[in-house]
Amino acid sequence: MTNFVESLRWRKMLHDIMPETEDKLAEGMKSGYIGFDPTADSLHVGHLVQIMTLIHFQAAGHKPFALVGGATGMVGDPSGKSAERNLLDSDALNHNVACIKKQLSKFLHFSDEGNGAVLVNNADWFKNMSFLDFIRDVGKHITVNYMMAKDSVKKRLEGDAGLSFTEFSYQLIQGYDFFHLWKEHNCIIQMGGSDQWGNIVTGTELIRRKASGQAYALTTQLIKKSDGTKFGKTESGAVWLDPEKTSPYKFYQFWLNSSDEDVKSWIRIFTLKTEQEILDLEVKHDEAPHLRILQKALAEDLTERVHSKEALEIALKTSDFLFGNSGLEFLNTLSENQIMEIFEGVPQFNISKEQLSNCADVVSLLAEDTSVFPSKGEAKKMIQAGAVSINRTKVNSISDKIGAENLINKQYLIVQRGKKNYFLIIVK
């Protein structure tokens, strides 16, 4: 059994902690929770810090509660937001909640016994509560002065967008979540990102004022990239945990492309490796930075835990294919969707089987039936220079003919112009 707070501390995850929290957790198994907002039907890498926090909480012998906000998702949290976001209808929220529950089950051990994790949905206790009941039983305990003193509220009031009553009330709703879980499940601590501190302590204050109880708070660092760009964002958008939204290969590449400065903190935050294991990896990395030992360790660890060992193997083989010298054998084991994911962003051309069979030679294929080359002259020049490959086999002659027997998965031709320029020809 490890010391939960000390584990967060050496991993440099800890941001704020309420006095006496560490001593209280040292007494033995305690229950605590983190909330996840169901604004989408998948979590993304930005949620991984909180997932890791719950993992460490459970590993330290405590009982984690994961709250999926089916009710709060209908309101919207103003923390860290510059404008009010669009609200989702109940059907969309229910779908998102179900998807997030499934994802969380991959990281935590869920059980009714011992310190098994528990999933809860705040819609279960809010759905039968009327507005009048809420303002009478909850609103009367927290003053407007107290609520307006919160940084998240101040920033929005100072901005041009203002703050709706809906979002202003969010901290009361989240505060009541804490009160409910404290009363019904003995959850004594709420955790979250540092931008959640105001909402969390509203909960501890509600517990104190409404029931003369004692509760605790802990927040983790918000992750930022050293180059100033937003963590978890790429040119194509957010990096999701759902393989249908972000393929395991792209997920792997996101972590593999970490800067040396970022990876030294991220490997502490996002993996379960021990302090000594990380220190050993750092020594090896510093001895040969070009081998990207830390980046590979981080990418492999996360891809396997978030997806699967099989998904990691495909990601590694895909990377080796695109950036190394591996053959095409593994492509024959992939589905159409997986192949299209690998070549997303690569120029693609669609031709018919009839076109392929009627094509006179490789030059016509690459310069007439497709636009791999702008002209036959350019195609001939590059082929004669030995700079063109199809399916990893160099094209030796301008009179070579490509037929159905050359297709990968009976459908694809992979053309390389030089070492790094890929093209995908899809034959249907």
Side-chain angles (χ1 to χ4, degrees):
M1 184 169 168
T2 59
N3 182 308
F4 169 63
V5 177
E6 188 55 39
S7 181
L8 296 188
R9 195 172 277 129
W10 80 257
R11 291 179 186 276
K12 298 180 181 177
M13 294 172 68
L14 189 65
H15 188 270
D16 284 314
I17 184 169
M18 190 172 281
E20 301 177 15
T21 301
E22 192 167 1
D23 292 338
K24 191 68 178 177
L25 293 175
E27 294 177 359
M29 185 182 82
K30 302 297 179 186
S31 295
Y33 86 98
I34 292 176
F36 295 88
D37 213 354
T39 50
D41 59 2
S42 172
L43 299 172
H44 52 72
V45 295
H47 293 105
L48 279 174
V49 175
Q50 301 316 319
I51 292 172
M52 294 303 301
T53 301
L54 287 180
I55 290 172
H56 292 307
F57 192 70
Q58 187 169 45
H62 301 298
K63 189 175 184 68
F65 281 70
L67 183 151
V68 184
T72 39
M74 299 186 75
V75 177
D77 180 6
S79 302
K81 309 292 190 304
S82 60
E84 186 162 5
R85 62 191 177 192
N86 294 328
L87 303 182
L88 302 176
D89 61 38
S90 58
D91 288 342
L93 276 168
N94 289 336
H95 170 73
N96 293 353
V97 167
C99 293
I100 290 171
K101 282 183 177 180
K102 184 177 179 181
Q103 286 184 334
L104 289 173
S105 297
K106 297 181 68 173
F107 301 98
L108 299 165
H109 171 62
F110 286 87
S111 171
D112 294 331
E113 300 178 0
N115 75 323
V118 178
L119 280 162
V120 291
N121 183 347
N122 59 12
D124 292 337
W125 53 86
F126 274 117
K127 63 185 177 184
N128 295 321
M129 182 181 290
S130 72
F131 175 72
L132 291 177
D133 288 338
F134 183 77
I135 59 174
R136 182 192 65 195
D137 296 337
V138 180
K140 70 177 182 180
H141 295 287
I142 303 294
T143 66
V144 171
N145 306 57
Y146 179 89
M147 294 171 70
M148 290 188 68
K150 295 290 185 289
D151 286 341
S152 59
V153 173
K154 281 189 203 174
K155 288 176 182 177
R156 286 290 294 278
L157 290 176
E158 292 168 359
D160 295 333
L163 182 70
S164 70
F165 177 76
T166 303
E167 287 191 310
F168 181 60
S169 66
Y170 187 92
Q171 62 176 293
L172 283 182
I173 298 171
Q174 186 171 328
Y176 184 76
D177 283 341
F178 198 174
F179 175 82
H180 176 88
L181 292 174
W182 174 83
K183 181 180 178 183
E184 300 297 329
H185 299 283
N186 198 28
C187 276
I188 67 159
I189 180 171
Q190 182 183 170
M191 298 160 283
S194 59
D195 60 338
Q196 291 295 308
W197 181 258
N199 291 338
I200 293 173
V201 297
T202 295
T204 65
E205 188 67 6
L206 182 62
I207 290 167
R208 185 185 71 81
R209 295 187 184 189
K210 187 171 169 62
S212 300
Q214 179 68 50
Y216 303 88
L218 178 152
T219 59
T220 51
Q221 301 279 358
L222 293 182
I223 307 301
K224 297 178 181 178
K225 292 178 73 173
S226 57
D227 63 4
T229 58
K230 190 170 183 179
F231 171 75
K233 294 285 187 181
T234 65
E235 290 181 2
S236 57
V239 179
W240 301 94
L241 305 192
D242 183 345
E244 296 298 320
K245 290 178 176 289
T246 299
S247 70
Y249 164 69
K250 286 187 176 179
F251 184 86
Y252 174 84
Q253 286 293 320
F254 171 78
W255 301 105
L256 188 65
N257 291 326
S258 306
S259 70
D260 284 348
E261 187 175 348
D262 286 331
V263 76
K264 289 187 176 182
S265 62
W266 292 0
I267 200 161
R268 284 168 161 73
I269 295 169
F270 297 113
T271 76
L272 296 172
K273 296 182 184 300
T274 65
E275 188 169 11
Q276 190 58 53
E277 286 174 330
I278 291 171
L279 291 174
D280 291 343
L281 283 169
E282 286 178 340
V283 169
K284 293 177 182 177
H285 178 90
D286 290 340
E287 289 173 350
H290 64 284
L291 296 179
R292 301 180 71 75
I293 290 170
L294 280 175
Q295 283 90 342
K296 288 177 181 177
L298 174 66
E300 289 176 13
D301 180 282
L302 274 169
T303 304
E304 182 171 345
R305 284 194 297 117
V306 170
H307 296 294
S308 67
K309 189 171 184 178
E310 293 72 24
L312 171 61
E313 289 175 359
I314 290 174
L316 290 172
K317 288 177 180 177
T318 301
S319 297
D320 193 33
F321 167 72
L322 291 174
F323 305 109
N325 296 302
S326 67
L328 301 171
E329 294 80 9
F330 93 101
L331 290 181
N332 290 311
T333 67
L334 302 183
S335 68
E336 182 176 348
N337 285 341
Q338 288 173 319
I339 289 177
M340 296 309 292
E341 284 170 359
I342 290 172
F343 292 99
E344 184 178 347
V346 169
Q348 298 176 8
F349 304 99
N350 291 282
I351 66 172
S352 67
K353 291 180 179 178
E354 185 179 3
Q355 278 179 288
L356 182 65
S357 64
N358 292 336
C359 192
D361 52 44
V362 67
V363 172
S364 299
L365 174 68
L366 301 181
E368 289 185 339
D369 292 294
T370 67
S371 303
V372 172
F373 291 97
S375 67
K376 281 189 171 185
E378 181 69 16
K380 289 178 181 179
K381 179 181 175 183
M382 292 291 282
I383 289 171
Q384 289 168 342
V388 179
S389 295
I390 293 180
N391 297 346
R392 279 287 162 84
T393 300
K394 187 175 290 186
V395 178
N396 294 314
S397 170
I398 60 174
S399 60
D400 282 357
K401 184 170 172 60
I402 304 300
E405 67 276 7
N406 299 109
L407 295 176
I408 297 171
N409 280 5
K410 300 179 181 180
Q411 193 172 1
Y412 305 102
L413 293 170
I414 299 166
V415 182
Q416 274 178 276
R417 191 180 70 194
K419 287 186 176 181
K420 296 183 179 180
N421 296 308
Y422 282 91
F423 303 83
L424 182 66
I425 300 175
I426 304 168
V427 182
K428 292 186 177 181

